[in-house]
Amino acid sequence: MGAGLSIPFRIAEAEKWSEGVLASGSPETQLSGVSIDTRTIGPGDLFVAIRGERHDAHEFLDRALQGGAAALLVERSWLKQNVAPEGPAL
């Protein structure tokens, strides 16, 4: 997660906090941090895909997994129209 303090948590906790639904993977998967930027993602992080004015982070899900993301948090509307890369997805 780059520099800073990080407290480990499980996908089940992220699912609750985000009011999301686990689309694939195990709710018991341990996560070490959170990232919204594939350039700073660390092993075990939850990658949160944010759609902005200039970029849509959903386009970088594969890169997030290659960078060590243990899970992906994507928009429900995106998941209805796309298949998430292999790995846990919320």
Side-chain angles (χ1 to χ4, degrees):
M1 185 177 111
L5 179 62
S6 171
I7 299 172
F9 58 99
R10 296 176 303 118
I11 285 182
E13 294 167 303
E15 183 179 20
K16 182 179 176 182
W17 300 330
S18 67
E19 297 181 1
V21 175
L22 185 61
S24 65
S26 169
E28 298 305 313
T29 299
Q30 289 288 317
L31 303 170
S32 57
V34 177
S35 180
I36 61 169
D37 188 334
T38 57
R39 296 169 295 182
T40 61
I41 200 153
D45 280 356
L46 170 65
F47 179 69
V48 180
I50 296 175
R51 191 182 313 252
E53 290 182 23
R54 290 183 283 163
H55 299 285
D56 181 353
H58 294 90
E59 296 174 11
F60 303 105
L61 299 178
D62 286 324
R63 191 178 302 173
L65 290 171
Q66 291 169 0
L72 308 168
L73 179 62
V74 299
E75 292 178 358
R76 282 187 182 108
S77 60
W78 183 89
L79 196 54
K80 287 179 182 177
Q81 299 174 8
N82 299 276
V83 175
E86 192 155 328
L90 273 171

